[in-house]
Amino acid sequence: MPEPTPTDAPPPAQGGPVKDDSGEIVLWHVPLSRSMRILWLLNELDLPFSLRVMDLRGKDMRAAEYAAIHPVGRAPALQIDGNVIHESGAMVEYLCETRGPHLWRAPGEEGRLGWLDWLHFAETIGQHIASLTQSHLMLRDPATRSPTVMKLETARLARTLRLVEQTVERQDWLMASGFSGVDCAVGWSVWTAGRFVRPTPALQAYADRCAARPAFRRALPQKGEPQLYERDFYELPDA
């Protein structure tokens, strides 16, 4: 995959996204992070795009070149249709609306409310994953971690997964009509949550169905790319 490269994109205007007129789709991506949701979806849609792989532990995301793309210095960022989008949920919705209506539910269409609810629920799960990732991976000195907070976040993560479990116990995908864009959003969260909580059989089966999709497998880190997670499972520290 290509390494991060400088960009000539101008800084964002106040109150609006970065403008770009190249017509190219570009994804700035940290392997295994929430940007994997978008890489997976781009693969599902079989769209041509360029990938800019970044290392969360390196300087890529703090470089001036990336600050012109994402002033907050987070991933993902998606350049598309002359703009840059900074929120993965918005990316899922826009990509499905404009490139994959078969993975979307349009306003007024049956299932629209459920589709939107799942899309935003992905962030409810994701916030606890982000907190645990920060504690387990980024705070390398155990003295800087709070075992109490880590236990609370682990319990909260497990609780958020119950809603997904209740759904995938009775059907393969979140929408009764079949696989859709919200499975990329929530499916990544469930799959990644398995590094911090032991999944129930129903959740594990759902994660396995997601991971079996060819587009998902193509979104996994390639040889030589930085790895966000070093372990398959992170045990809670002793209090």
PDB file of all heavy atoms in Angstrom, residues 4-39:
ATOM      1  N   PRO A   4       2.002   7.430   3.293  1.00  0.00           N
ATOM      2  CA  PRO A   4       1.426   8.767   3.290  1.00  0.00           C
ATOM      3  C   PRO A   4       2.279   9.728   2.486  1.00  0.00           C
ATOM      4  O   PRO A   4       3.500   9.704   2.568  1.00  0.00           O
ATOM      5  CB  PRO A   4       1.419   9.142   4.780  1.00  0.00           C
ATOM      6  CG  PRO A   4       1.451   7.838   5.496  1.00  0.00           C
ATOM      7  CD  PRO A   4       2.231   6.905   4.632  1.00  0.00           C
ATOM      8  N   THR A   5       1.660  10.550   1.703  1.00  0.00           N
ATOM      9  CA  THR A   5       2.369  11.501   0.870  1.00  0.00           C
ATOM     10  C   THR A   5       1.835  12.893   1.109  1.00  0.00           C
ATOM     11  O   THR A   5       0.685  13.072   1.496  1.00  0.00           O
ATOM     12  CB  THR A   5       2.215  11.154  -0.623  1.00  0.00           C
ATOM     13  OG1 THR A   5       0.816  11.104  -0.919  1.00  0.00           O
ATOM     14  CG2 THR A   5       2.836   9.816  -0.935  1.00  0.00           C
ATOM     15  N   PRO A   6       2.668  13.925   0.877  1.00  0.00           N
ATOM     16  CA  PRO A   6       2.185  15.299   1.057  1.00  0.00           C
ATOM     17  C   PRO A   6       1.028  15.594   0.128  1.00  0.00           C
ATOM     18  O   PRO A   6       0.890  14.989  -0.935  1.00  0.00           O
ATOM     19  CB  PRO A   6       3.412  16.145   0.713  1.00  0.00           C
ATOM     20  CG  PRO A   6       4.581  15.234   0.900  1.00  0.00           C
ATOM     21  CD  PRO A   6       4.080  13.861   0.525  1.00  0.00           C
ATOM     22  N   THR A   7       0.200  16.507   0.521  1.00  0.00           N
ATOM     23  CA  THR A   7      -0.940  16.883  -0.297  1.00  0.00           C
ATOM     24  C   THR A   7      -0.929  18.372  -0.543  1.00  0.00           C
ATOM     25  O   THR A   7      -0.414  19.135   0.268  1.00  0.00           O
ATOM     26  CB  THR A   7      -2.268  16.498   0.387  1.00  0.00           C
ATOM     27  OG1 THR A   7      -3.341  16.993  -0.412  1.00  0.00           O
ATOM     28  CG2 THR A   7      -2.380  17.093   1.771  1.00  0.00           C
ATOM     29  N   ASP A   8      -1.459  18.787  -1.673  1.00  0.00           N
ATOM     30  CA  ASP A   8      -1.564  20.202  -1.983  1.00  0.00           C
ATOM     31  C   ASP A   8      -2.928  20.758  -1.615  1.00  0.00           C
ATOM     32  O   ASP A   8      -3.256  21.882  -1.977  1.00  0.00           O
ATOM     33  CB  ASP A   8      -1.334  20.430  -3.490  1.00  0.00           C
ATOM     34  CG  ASP A   8       0.089  20.074  -3.885  1.00  0.00           C
ATOM     35  OD1 ASP A   8       0.988  20.294  -3.050  1.00  0.00           O
ATOM     36  OD2 ASP A   8       0.296  19.590  -4.995  1.00  0.00           O
ATOM     37  N   ALA A   9      -3.736  19.968  -0.912  1.00  0.00           N
ATOM     38  CA  ALA A   9      -5.072  20.433  -0.545  1.00  0.00           C
ATOM     39  C   ALA A   9      -4.966  21.637   0.376  1.00  0.00           C
ATOM     40  O   ALA A   9      -4.108  21.679   1.259  1.00  0.00           O
ATOM     41  CB  ALA A   9      -5.852  19.314   0.146  1.00  0.00           C
ATOM     42  N   PRO A  10      -5.806  22.641   0.195  1.00  0.00           N
ATOM     43  CA  PRO A  10      -5.761  23.821   1.061  1.00  0.00           C
ATOM     44  C   PRO A  10      -6.337  23.508   2.428  1.00  0.00           C
ATOM     45  O   PRO A  10      -7.033  22.520   2.612  1.00  0.00           O
ATOM     46  CB  PRO A  10      -6.659  24.816   0.317  1.00  0.00           C
ATOM     47  CG  PRO A  10      -7.627  23.949  -0.419  1.00  0.00           C
ATOM     48  CD  PRO A  10      -6.855  22.726  -0.814  1.00  0.00           C
ATOM     49  N   PRO A  11      -6.036  24.332   3.427  1.00  0.00           N
ATOM     50  CA  PRO A  11      -6.645  24.117   4.746  1.00  0.00           C
ATOM     51  C   PRO A  11      -8.136  24.330   4.664  1.00  0.00           C
ATOM     52  O   PRO A  11      -8.638  25.017   3.773  1.00  0.00           O
ATOM     53  CB  PRO A  11      -5.976  25.195   5.622  1.00  0.00           C
ATOM     54  CG  PRO A  11      -5.540  26.236   4.655  1.00  0.00           C
ATOM     55  CD  PRO A  11      -5.186  25.502   3.396  1.00  0.00           C
ATOM     56  N   PRO A  12      -8.893  23.712   5.595  1.00  0.00           N
ATOM     57  CA  PRO A  12     -10.351  23.810   5.536  1.00  0.00           C
ATOM     58  C   PRO A  12     -10.832  25.218   5.803  1.00  0.00           C
ATOM     59  O   PRO A  12     -10.271  25.932   6.633  1.00  0.00           O
ATOM     60  CB  PRO A  12     -10.817  22.845   6.631  1.00  0.00           C
ATOM     61  CG  PRO A  12      -9.670  22.787   7.584  1.00  0.00           C
ATOM     62  CD  PRO A  12      -8.433  22.945   6.754  1.00  0.00           C
ATOM     63  N   ALA A  13     -11.885  25.605   5.120  1.00  0.00           N
ATOM     64  CA  ALA A  13     -12.520  26.874   5.421  1.00  0.00           C
ATOM     65  C   ALA A  13     -13.288  26.745   6.723  1.00  0.00           C
ATOM     66  O   ALA A  13     -13.750  25.672   7.077  1.00  0.00           O
ATOM     67  CB  ALA A  13     -13.460  27.270   4.287  1.00  0.00           C
ATOM     68  N   GLN A  14     -13.426  27.845   7.453  1.00  0.00           N
ATOM     69  CA  GLN A  14     -14.155  27.779   8.714  1.00  0.00           C
ATOM     70  C   GLN A  14     -15.593  27.356   8.454  1.00  0.00           C
ATOM     71  O   GLN A  14     -16.265  27.887   7.587  1.00  0.00           O
ATOM     72  CB  GLN A  14     -14.130  29.141   9.397  1.00  0.00           C
ATOM     73  CG  GLN A  14     -12.754  29.503   9.942  1.00  0.00           C
ATOM     74  CD  GLN A  14     -12.799  30.756  10.783  1.00  0.00           C
ATOM     75  OE1 GLN A  14     -13.845  31.396  10.864  1.00  0.00           O
ATOM     76  NE2 GLN A  14     -11.703  31.085  11.419  1.00  0.00           N
ATOM     77  N   GLY A  15     -16.022  26.362   9.221  1.00  0.00           N
ATOM     78  CA  GLY A  15     -17.398  25.910   9.117  1.00  0.00           C
ATOM     79  C   GLY A  15     -17.666  24.988   7.948  1.00  0.00           C
ATOM     80  O   GLY A  15     -18.800  24.617   7.701  1.00  0.00           O
ATOM     81  N   GLY A  16     -16.635  24.563   7.222  1.00  0.00           N
ATOM     82  CA  GLY A  16     -16.869  23.701   6.078  1.00  0.00           C
ATOM     83  C   GLY A  16     -15.708  22.761   5.848  1.00  0.00           C
ATOM     84  O   GLY A  16     -14.637  22.909   6.435  1.00  0.00           O
ATOM     85  N   PRO A  17     -15.893  21.728   5.010  1.00  0.00           N
ATOM     86  CA  PRO A  17     -14.857  20.747   4.770  1.00  0.00           C
ATOM     87  C   PRO A  17     -13.805  21.263   3.800  1.00  0.00           C
ATOM     88  O   PRO A  17     -13.980  22.272   3.128  1.00  0.00           O
ATOM     89  CB  PRO A  17     -15.631  19.574   4.147  1.00  0.00           C
ATOM     90  CG  PRO A  17     -16.780  20.255   3.456  1.00  0.00           C
ATOM     91  CD  PRO A  17     -17.133  21.441   4.304  1.00  0.00           C
ATOM     92  N   VAL A  18     -12.695  20.533   3.734  1.00  0.00           N
ATOM     93  CA  VAL A  18     -11.673  20.810   2.734  1.00  0.00           C
ATOM     94  C   VAL A  18     -12.277  20.633   1.351  1.00  0.00           C
ATOM     95  O   VAL A  18     -13.032  19.695   1.102  1.00  0.00           O
ATOM     96  CB  VAL A  18     -10.486  19.834   2.909  1.00  0.00           C
ATOM     97  CG1 VAL A  18      -9.466  20.038   1.806  1.00  0.00           C
ATOM     98  CG2 VAL A  18      -9.838  20.023   4.266  1.00  0.00           C
ATOM     99  N   LYS A  19     -11.955  21.535   0.448  1.00  0.00           N
ATOM    100  CA  LYS A  19     -12.427  21.420  -0.928  1.00  0.00           C
ATOM    101  C   LYS A  19     -11.325  20.822  -1.783  1.00  0.00           C
ATOM    102  O   LYS A  19     -10.150  21.127  -1.632  1.00  0.00           O
ATOM    103  CB  LYS A  19     -12.808  22.791  -1.484  1.00  0.00           C
ATOM    104  CG  LYS A  19     -13.976  23.444  -0.761  1.00  0.00           C
ATOM    105  CD  LYS A  19     -15.271  22.716  -0.962  1.00  0.00           C
ATOM    106  CE  LYS A  19     -15.755  22.826  -2.392  1.00  0.00           C
ATOM    107  NZ  LYS A  19     -17.089  22.182  -2.566  1.00  0.00           N
ATOM    108  N   ASP A  20     -11.700  19.957  -2.698  1.00  0.00           N
ATOM    109  CA  ASP A  20     -10.746  19.345  -3.619  1.00  0.00           C
ATOM    110  C   ASP A  20     -11.463  19.088  -4.933  1.00  0.00           C
ATOM    111  O   ASP A  20     -12.589  18.611  -4.951  1.00  0.00           O
ATOM    112  CB  ASP A  20     -10.219  18.023  -3.039  1.00  0.00           C
ATOM    113  CG  ASP A  20      -9.188  17.378  -3.953  1.00  0.00           C
ATOM    114  OD1 ASP A  20      -9.617  16.619  -4.857  1.00  0.00           O
ATOM    115  OD2 ASP A  20      -7.993  17.640  -3.782  1.00  0.00           O
ATOM    116  N   ASP A  21     -10.809  19.408  -6.033  1.00  0.00           N
ATOM    117  CA  ASP A  21     -11.461  19.295  -7.334  1.00  0.00           C
ATOM    118  C   ASP A  21     -10.881  18.188  -8.201  1.00  0.00           C
ATOM    119  O   ASP A  21     -11.142  18.137  -9.407  1.00  0.00           O
ATOM    120  CB  ASP A  21     -11.346  20.639  -8.081  1.00  0.00           C
ATOM    121  CG  ASP A  21     -12.071  21.759  -7.340  1.00  0.00           C
ATOM    122  OD1 ASP A  21     -13.157  21.479  -6.791  1.00  0.00           O
ATOM    123  OD2 ASP A  21     -11.541  22.870  -7.298  1.00  0.00           O
ATOM    124  N   SER A  22     -10.077  17.282  -7.609  1.00  0.00           N
ATOM    125  CA  SER A  22      -9.421  16.259  -8.419  1.00  0.00           C
ATOM    126  C   SER A  22     -10.385  15.181  -8.893  1.00  0.00           C
ATOM    127  O   SER A  22     -10.122  14.504  -9.885  1.00  0.00           O
ATOM    128  CB  SER A  22      -8.290  15.609  -7.615  1.00  0.00           C
ATOM    129  OG  SER A  22      -8.818  14.857  -6.530  1.00  0.00           O
ATOM    130  N   GLY A  23     -11.485  14.966  -8.170  1.00  0.00           N
ATOM    131  CA  GLY A  23     -12.422  13.900  -8.528  1.00  0.00           C
ATOM    132  C   GLY A  23     -12.006  12.538  -8.025  1.00  0.00           C
ATOM    133  O   GLY A  23     -12.746  11.562  -8.173  1.00  0.00           O
ATOM    134  N   GLU A  24     -10.838  12.429  -7.402  1.00  0.00           N
ATOM    135  CA  GLU A  24     -10.336  11.153  -6.909  1.00  0.00           C
ATOM    136  C   GLU A  24     -10.895  10.864  -5.519  1.00  0.00           C
ATOM    137  O   GLU A  24     -11.088  11.771  -4.715  1.00  0.00           O
ATOM    138  CB  GLU A  24      -8.803  11.198  -6.845  1.00  0.00           C
ATOM    139  CG  GLU A  24      -8.162   9.902  -6.402  1.00  0.00           C
ATOM    140  CD  GLU A  24      -6.645  10.018  -6.316  1.00  0.00           C
ATOM    141  OE1 GLU A  24      -6.141  11.150  -6.165  1.00  0.00           O
ATOM    142  OE2 GLU A  24      -5.976   8.973  -6.395  1.00  0.00           O
ATOM    143  N   ILE A  25     -11.163   9.585  -5.250  1.00  0.00           N
ATOM    144  CA  ILE A  25     -11.519   9.152  -3.897  1.00  0.00           C
ATOM    145  C   ILE A  25     -10.231   8.751  -3.187  1.00  0.00           C
ATOM    146  O   ILE A  25      -9.463   7.919  -3.686  1.00  0.00           O
ATOM    147  CB  ILE A  25     -12.505   7.975  -3.925  1.00  0.00           C
ATOM    148  CG1 ILE A  25     -13.824   8.390  -4.585  1.00  0.00           C
ATOM    149  CG2 ILE A  25     -12.776   7.473  -2.498  1.00  0.00           C
ATOM    150  CD1 ILE A  25     -14.820   7.254  -4.726  1.00  0.00           C
ATOM    151  N   VAL A  26      -9.981   9.349  -2.034  1.00  0.00           N
ATOM    152  CA  VAL A  26      -8.779   9.053  -1.253  1.00  0.00           C
ATOM    153  C   VAL A  26      -9.199   8.784   0.188  1.00  0.00           C
ATOM    154  O   VAL A  26      -9.968   9.556   0.769  1.00  0.00           O
ATOM    155  CB  VAL A  26      -7.764  10.214  -1.285  1.00  0.00           C
ATOM    156  CG1 VAL A  26      -6.511   9.846  -0.493  1.00  0.00           C
ATOM    157  CG2 VAL A  26      -7.398  10.581  -2.715  1.00  0.00           C
ATOM    158  N   LEU A  27      -8.695   7.691   0.750  1.00  0.00           N
ATOM    159  CA  LEU A  27      -8.954   7.368   2.150  1.00  0.00           C
ATOM    160  C   LEU A  27      -7.650   7.415   2.925  1.00  0.00           C
ATOM    161  O   LEU A  27      -6.683   6.741   2.568  1.00  0.00           O
ATOM    162  CB  LEU A  27      -9.573   5.972   2.282  1.00  0.00           C
ATOM    163  CG  LEU A  27      -9.782   5.470   3.725  1.00  0.00           C
ATOM    164  CD1 LEU A  27     -10.804   6.331   4.453  1.00  0.00           C
ATOM    165  CD2 LEU A  27     -10.191   3.998   3.741  1.00  0.00           C
ATOM    166  N   TRP A  28      -7.629   8.235   3.984  1.00  0.00           N
ATOM    167  CA  TRP A  28      -6.520   8.234   4.934  1.00  0.00           C
ATOM    168  C   TRP A  28      -6.882   7.255   6.033  1.00  0.00           C
ATOM    169  O   TRP A  28      -7.921   7.394   6.688  1.00  0.00           O
ATOM    170  CB  TRP A  28      -6.287   9.642   5.481  1.00  0.00           C
ATOM    171  CG  TRP A  28      -5.604  10.540   4.495  1.00  0.00           C
ATOM    172  CD1 TRP A  28      -4.258  10.785   4.398  1.00  0.00           C
ATOM    173  CD2 TRP A  28      -6.218  11.313   3.457  1.00  0.00           C
ATOM    174  NE1 TRP A  28      -4.006  11.657   3.366  1.00  0.00           N
ATOM    175  CE2 TRP A  28      -5.197  12.007   2.773  1.00  0.00           C
ATOM    176  CE3 TRP A  28      -7.545  11.492   3.037  1.00  0.00           C
ATOM    177  CZ2 TRP A  28      -5.452  12.852   1.700  1.00  0.00           C
ATOM    178  CZ3 TRP A  28      -7.798  12.329   1.968  1.00  0.00           C
ATOM    179  CH2 TRP A  28      -6.766  13.001   1.309  1.00  0.00           C
ATOM    180  N   HIS A  29      -6.001   6.285   6.284  1.00  0.00           N
ATOM    181  CA  HIS A  29      -6.393   5.063   6.992  1.00  0.00           C
ATOM    182  C   HIS A  29      -5.310   4.615   7.962  1.00  0.00           C
ATOM    183  O   HIS A  29      -4.124   4.599   7.625  1.00  0.00           O
ATOM    184  CB  HIS A  29      -6.639   3.971   5.944  1.00  0.00           C
ATOM    185  CG  HIS A  29      -6.772   2.586   6.465  1.00  0.00           C
ATOM    186  ND1 HIS A  29      -7.725   2.198   7.377  1.00  0.00           N
ATOM    187  CD2 HIS A  29      -6.053   1.455   6.185  1.00  0.00           C
ATOM    188  CE1 HIS A  29      -7.602   0.907   7.632  1.00  0.00           C
ATOM    189  NE2 HIS A  29      -6.593   0.444   6.931  1.00  0.00           N
ATOM    190  N   VAL A  30      -5.734   4.261   9.185  1.00  0.00           N
ATOM    191  CA  VAL A  30      -4.881   3.587  10.155  1.00  0.00           C
ATOM    192  C   VAL A  30      -5.345   2.137  10.238  1.00  0.00           C
ATOM    193  O   VAL A  30      -6.493   1.880  10.625  1.00  0.00           O
ATOM    194  CB  VAL A  30      -4.964   4.255  11.545  1.00  0.00           C
ATOM    195  CG1 VAL A  30      -4.208   3.427  12.581  1.00  0.00           C
ATOM    196  CG2 VAL A  30      -4.410   5.669  11.491  1.00  0.00           C
ATOM    197  N   PRO A  31      -4.521   1.177   9.842  1.00  0.00           N
ATOM    198  CA  PRO A  31      -4.952  -0.221   9.832  1.00  0.00           C
ATOM    199  C   PRO A  31      -5.530  -0.672  11.174  1.00  0.00           C
ATOM    200  O   PRO A  31      -4.979  -0.371  12.240  1.00  0.00           O
ATOM    201  CB  PRO A  31      -3.660  -0.986   9.494  1.00  0.00           C
ATOM    202  CG  PRO A  31      -2.881  -0.011   8.667  1.00  0.00           C
ATOM    203  CD  PRO A  31      -3.152   1.326   9.296  1.00  0.00           C
ATOM    204  N   LEU A  32      -6.666  -1.352  11.093  1.00  0.00           N
ATOM    205  CA  LEU A  32      -7.413  -1.931  12.206  1.00  0.00           C
ATOM    206  C   LEU A  32      -8.164  -0.896  13.038  1.00  0.00           C
ATOM    207  O   LEU A  32      -8.930  -1.272  13.922  1.00  0.00           O
ATOM    208  CB  LEU A  32      -6.522  -2.778  13.125  1.00  0.00           C
ATOM    209  CG  LEU A  32      -5.904  -4.031  12.510  1.00  0.00           C
ATOM    210  CD1 LEU A  32      -5.079  -4.772  13.555  1.00  0.00           C
ATOM    211  CD2 LEU A  32      -6.960  -4.953  11.927  1.00  0.00           C
ATOM    212  N   SER A  33      -7.991   0.394  12.764  1.00  0.00           N
ATOM    213  CA  SER A  33      -8.753   1.406  13.477  1.00  0.00           C
ATOM    214  C   SER A  33     -10.141   1.520  12.868  1.00  0.00           C
ATOM    215  O   SER A  33     -10.500   0.801  11.934  1.00  0.00           O
ATOM    216  CB  SER A  33      -8.038   2.752  13.400  1.00  0.00           C
ATOM    217  OG  SER A  33      -8.209   3.326  12.110  1.00  0.00           O
ATOM    218  N   ARG A  34     -10.941   2.493  13.357  1.00  0.00           N
ATOM    219  CA  ARG A  34     -12.296   2.641  12.843  1.00  0.00           C
ATOM    220  C   ARG A  34     -12.304   3.013  11.356  1.00  0.00           C
ATOM    221  O   ARG A  34     -13.334   2.873  10.700  1.00  0.00           O
ATOM    222  CB  ARG A  34     -13.084   3.639  13.674  1.00  0.00           C
ATOM    223  CG  ARG A  34     -12.692   5.082  13.513  1.00  0.00           C
ATOM    224  CD  ARG A  34     -13.497   5.959  14.447  1.00  0.00           C
ATOM    225  NE  ARG A  34     -13.209   5.648  15.831  1.00  0.00           N
ATOM    226  CZ  ARG A  34     -13.971   6.051  16.839  1.00  0.00           C
ATOM    227  NH1 ARG A  34     -15.062   6.755  16.637  1.00  0.00           N
ATOM    228  NH2 ARG A  34     -13.654   5.752  18.089  1.00  0.00           N
ATOM    229  N   SER A  35     -11.179   3.475  10.825  1.00  0.00           N
ATOM    230  CA  SER A  35     -11.134   3.751   9.391  1.00  0.00           C
ATOM    231  C   SER A  35     -11.258   2.469   8.565  1.00  0.00           C
ATOM    232  O   SER A  35     -11.572   2.518   7.379  1.00  0.00           O
ATOM    233  CB  SER A  35      -9.849   4.499   9.019  1.00  0.00           C
ATOM    234  OG  SER A  35      -8.693   3.734   9.283  1.00  0.00           O
ATOM    235  N   MET A  36     -11.054   1.312   9.217  1.00  0.00           N
ATOM    236  CA  MET A  36     -11.249   0.044   8.524  1.00  0.00           C
ATOM    237  C   MET A  36     -12.698  -0.123   8.075  1.00  0.00           C
ATOM    238  O   MET A  36     -12.980  -0.806   7.082  1.00  0.00           O
ATOM    239  CB  MET A  36     -10.831  -1.113   9.427  1.00  0.00           C
ATOM    240  CG  MET A  36     -10.902  -2.475   8.771  1.00  0.00           C
ATOM    241  SD  MET A  36     -10.276  -3.767   9.877  1.00  0.00           S
ATOM    242  CE  MET A  36     -10.936  -5.232   9.045  1.00  0.00           C
ATOM    243  N   ARG A  37     -13.630   0.499   8.803  1.00  0.00           N
ATOM    244  CA  ARG A  37     -15.035   0.464   8.381  1.00  0.00           C
ATOM    245  C   ARG A  37     -15.177   0.992   6.949  1.00  0.00           C
ATOM    246  O   ARG A  37     -15.914   0.432   6.136  1.00  0.00           O
ATOM    247  CB  ARG A  37     -15.882   1.368   9.287  1.00  0.00           C
ATOM    248  CG  ARG A  37     -15.920   1.042  10.742  1.00  0.00           C
ATOM    249  CD  ARG A  37     -16.539   2.209  11.495  1.00  0.00           C
ATOM    250  NE  ARG A  37     -16.796   1.907  12.889  1.00  0.00           N
ATOM    251  CZ  ARG A  37     -17.186   2.797  13.777  1.00  0.00           C
ATOM    252  NH1 ARG A  37     -17.361   4.057  13.417  1.00  0.00           N
ATOM    253  NH2 ARG A  37     -17.411   2.461  15.025  1.00  0.00           N
ATOM    254  N   ILE A  38     -14.469   2.091   6.682  1.00  0.00           N
ATOM    255  CA  ILE A  38     -14.612   2.749   5.383  1.00  0.00           C
ATOM    256  C   ILE A  38     -13.855   1.989   4.311  1.00  0.00           C
ATOM    257  O   ILE A  38     -14.340   1.855   3.181  1.00  0.00           O
ATOM    258  CB  ILE A  38     -14.131   4.203   5.469  1.00  0.00           C
ATOM    259  CG1 ILE A  38     -14.772   4.896   6.686  1.00  0.00           C
ATOM    260  CG2 ILE A  38     -14.460   4.948   4.180  1.00  0.00           C
ATOM    261  CD1 ILE A  38     -16.288   4.774   6.756  1.00  0.00           C
ATOM    262  N   LEU A  39     -12.691   1.473   4.647  1.00  0.00           N
ATOM    263  CA  LEU A  39     -11.948   0.658   3.688  1.00  0.00           C
ATOM    264  C   LEU A  39     -12.763  -0.579   3.310  1.00  0.00           C
ATOM    265  O   LEU A  39     -12.839  -0.956   2.124  1.00  0.00           O
ATOM    266  CB  LEU A  39     -10.603   0.267   4.286  1.00  0.00           C
ATOM    267  CG  LEU A  39      -9.682  -0.569   3.403  1.00  0.00           C
ATOM    268  CD1 LEU A  39      -9.450   0.089   2.049  1.00  0.00           C
ATOM    269  CD2 LEU A  39      -8.361  -0.834   4.120  1.00  0.00           C
TER     270      LEU A  39
END
